[in-house]
């Protein structure tokens, strides 16, 4: 192989890596689905525990089981469509998928741990207030990682918003207003970033 051929191969590899890094994020539809679902579920929780919906708080577990079932099915359906998009296997998109998958597992494990603690008589329902607080902090971490490894630096602002929301939610710990605050904040930390991601993806196609 000549020096020119080696240089051409290196240029090709560099261009390929650059195009992979600059590929648009394709997970917007999944994020939008989860954002709307999370916001609606948190708002419903607030309505139930403040007795604005006429539903007994003991049925809250049905709300969250329905949330998990709908979210799981939505992710499975949208995931197949998103996975077939151009750029879906770029570095940024693979990292995004991995980060949000681990984020979901983390919150799921936390929820299960709280339930087990309550069943064993060692925990209280107040522990559930930690879920949205940790959830927003986890969002900030996820956005921050994606912003660092991709050219989507604007996600750093979404990370900051999520971190600030986590701090604000901690101030409402133990109060019903925590869930109303979380429901509204989710529109800004999940729904809006997902819509922006979808807009960028459409513009770059």
């Amino acid at each position: 192989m000549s020096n020119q051929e080696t240089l051409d191969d290196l240029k090709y590899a560099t261009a390929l890596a650059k195009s992979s890094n600059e590929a648009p994020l394709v997970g917007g539809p999944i994020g939008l689905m989860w954002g709307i679902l999370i916001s609606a579920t948190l708002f419903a929780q607030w309505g139930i525990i403040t007795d604005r919906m006429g539903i007994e708080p003991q049925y809250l577990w049905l709300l969250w089981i329905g949330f998990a079932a709908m979210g799981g099915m939505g992710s499975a359906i949208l995931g197949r469509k998103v996975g077939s998009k151009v750029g879906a296997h770029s570095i940024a998109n693979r990292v995004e998928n991995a980060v949000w998958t681990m984020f979901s597992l983390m919150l799921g494990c936390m929820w299960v741990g709280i339930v087990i603690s309550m069943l064993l008589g060692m925990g209280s329902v107040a522990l559930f207030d930690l879920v949205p607080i940790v959830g927003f902090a986890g969002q900030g971490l996820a956005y921050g990682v994606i912003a660092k490894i991709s050219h989507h630096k604007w996600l750093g602002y979404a990370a900051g918003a999520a971190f600030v929301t986590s701090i604000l939610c901690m101030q409402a710990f133990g109060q019903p207003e925590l869930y109303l605050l979380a429901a509204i904040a989710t529109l800004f930390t999940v729904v809006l970033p997902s819509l922006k991601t979808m807009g960028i993806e459409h513009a770059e196609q």
Side-chain angles (χ1 to χ4, degrees), residues 8 35 40 42 44 47 74 94 98 130 136 161 186 190 194-195 198:
D8 290 341
L42 289 169
R94 284 186 294 177
L130 291 172
F136 282 113
T186 298
V190 183
S194 297
L195 288 172
M198 293 168 67

Side-chain angles (χ1 to χ4, degrees), residues 140 143-144 147 152-164 188-189 193 196:
Y143 285 135
H152 303 280
K153 305 305 179 186
W154 63 271
L155 284 172
Y157 295 106
F163 285 139
V164 170
F188 295 94
T189 65
K196 182 173 177 61

Side-chain angles (χ1 to χ4, degrees), residues 5 28-30 55 62 79 112-113 125-126 137 139 151-152 164 174 178-179 182 184 186 193 196 203:
E5 289 176 327
I30 297 177
I55 300 174
L62 288 175
V112 170
V125 70
Q139 284 179 29
H151 72 290
H152 303 280
V164 170
L178 165 65
Y179 294 94
I184 295 172
T186 298
K196 182 173 177 61

Side-chain angles (χ1 to χ4, degrees), residues 99-123:
V99 167
W100 286 114
T101 298
M102 293 302 104
F103 167 85
S104 300
L105 287 174
M106 178 268 291
L107 280 188
C109 288
M110 186 177 182
W111 191 86
V112 170
I114 293 173
V115 170
I116 292 175
S117 177
M118 290 180 63
L119 291 175
L120 294 176
M122 297 184 294

Side-chain angles (χ1 to χ4, degrees), residues 28-53:
I30 297 177
L32 179 62
M33 181 272 299
W34 276 110
I36 293 173
L37 186 57
I38 291 170
S39 184
T41 303
L42 289 169
F43 183 79
Q45 166 122 0
W46 171 76
I48 291 172
I49 62 179
T50 55
D51 200 28
R52 283 177 166 78
M53 293 187 172

Side-chain angles (χ1 to χ4, degrees), residues 85-103:
K85 290 184 177 181
V86 175
H89 300 291
S90 67
I91 294 173
N93 278 294
R94 284 186 294 177
V95 169
E96 180 186 47
N97 181 61
V99 167
W100 286 114
T101 298
M102 293 302 104
F103 167 85

